[in-house]
Amino acid sequence: MKIVISKTAGELGMRAAKASAEIIKAAIAEKGVARIILSTGASQFETLEHLVKEDIDWSKVEMFHLDEYVDLPETHPASFRKYLKERFVAPTGVKMTHFVDGTQEGIAKLTEEIKKAPIDVGLIGIGRNAHIAFNDPPADFETKVSYLIVNLDTACRNQQVGEGWFATIDDVPKQAVSMSVWQIMQCKHIISAVPHAEKSWAVAQTLANELTNKVPGTMLKTHDSFQLFVDANSYADAKEIVTLKGETVCEDYR
């Protein structure tokens, strides 16, 4: 594991985007195409803003979508399909896209497509409750399906309200289609951009704990190529933990 610390969320986004771009360009150079997974939410704003400006041949990039609410129309402001189409597809012009639509048919199609070849890099956020994708604690670490329907816990649903996607918790769907933890871990490389003070608990818990499905983010630490990008605010509660555990910390821009 590599932890990259930046002073601000903007700097974090720039560095996470550059690291992602290096992997994407290397994959294109090696085999002519790169396959990526993108996550959404407010924590990914800065990374996507910089990633779409990178000098990448987007015609050779195939994008997979991480998760989506059940029964939420794409026209809804909180739709992650809408989010990615506006923030990633439109600026890059990428054509090879695979979106989660929340139906059983959609899950079957996504599963078929994602299993055709390895994923080169997954940009996987960590939620306020330390979930990855919509795998809330206690997350299912055993299933080997690629996508599954999950129930969203109260902390997760409150996060969506706190980020401004919904007016009240009653407006937040109670279920979502999520990429499984197992499928996420099949990525060749994982980059997690986790900025902002509201993520400090999740970052600290992820770094403090050994592998446990009560803190789903701990699974990422078992990956052979995992980079965690944090800013001064999201890292504030974890600094002492990392020092004690002797984790690999680099590029300390605080």
Side-chain angles (χ1 to χ4, degrees), residues 76-118:
H76 192 285
S79 165
F80 295 139
R81 287 164 290 168
K82 175 181 172 66
Y83 175 116
L84 286 175
K85 287 179 180 180
E86 292 177 351
R87 294 178 178 274
F88 179 73
V89 176
T92 62
V94 64
K95 301 297 183 186
M96 293 185 285
T97 59
H98 305 280
F99 290 100
V100 178
D101 68 5
T103 66
Q104 290 294 343
E105 295 81 2
I107 291 174
K109 182 63 175 175
L110 274 170
T111 299
E112 178 185 351
E113 293 294 333
I114 203 167
K115 289 187 174 181
K116 287 182 177 179

Side-chain angles (χ1 to χ4, degrees), residues 62-212:
E62 186 175 6
M63 183 216 77
F64 286 85
H65 182 187
L66 192 67
D67 48 28
E68 181 61 283
Y69 300 103
V70 169
D71 295 330
L72 190 75
E74 187 179 322
T75 54
H76 192 285
S79 165
F80 295 139
R81 287 164 290 168
K82 175 181 172 66
Y83 175 116
L84 286 175
K85 287 179 180 180
E86 292 177 351
R87 294 178 178 274
F88 179 73
V89 176
T92 62
V94 64
K95 301 297 183 186
M96 293 185 285
T97 59
H98 305 280
F99 290 100
V100 178
D101 68 5
T103 66
Q104 290 294 343
E105 295 81 2
I107 291 174
K109 182 63 175 175
L110 274 170
T111 299
E112 178 185 351
E113 293 294 333
I114 203 167
K115 289 187 174 181
K116 287 182 177 179
I119 299 295
D120 296 294
V121 62
L123 277 67
I124 310 298
I126 299 175
R128 294 187 193 181
N129 64 353
H131 72 197
I132 50 177
F134 268 135
N135 298 291
D136 289 332
D140 187 341
F141 281 179
E142 302 302 322
T143 183
K144 292 189 177 180
V145 301
S146 295
Y147 288 88
L148 66 162
I149 295 177
V150 296
N151 297 317
L152 305 181
D153 71 14
T154 300
C156 173
R157 295 171 70 217
N158 275 325
Q159 176 180 332
Q160 312 313 315
V161 176
E163 291 184 359
W165 303 110
F166 299 92
T168 72
I169 192 170
D170 292 332
D171 298 317
V172 184
K174 295 181 180 179
Q175 290 187 312
V177 177
S178 176
M179 185 176 289
S180 68
V181 174
W182 175 84
Q183 183 64 63
I184 290 169
M185 294 297 289
Q186 304 314 299
C187 297
K188 291 183 179 179
H189 305 276
I190 294 177
I191 289 178
S192 290
V194 192
H196 309 143
E198 57 267 25
K199 297 294 182 75
S200 60
W201 181 88
V203 170
Q205 290 299 307
T206 295
L207 295 176
N209 286 281
E210 300 301 325
L211 180 65
T212 171

Side-chain angles (χ1 to χ4, degrees), residues 24 43 201:
I24 293 169
S43 66
W201 181 88

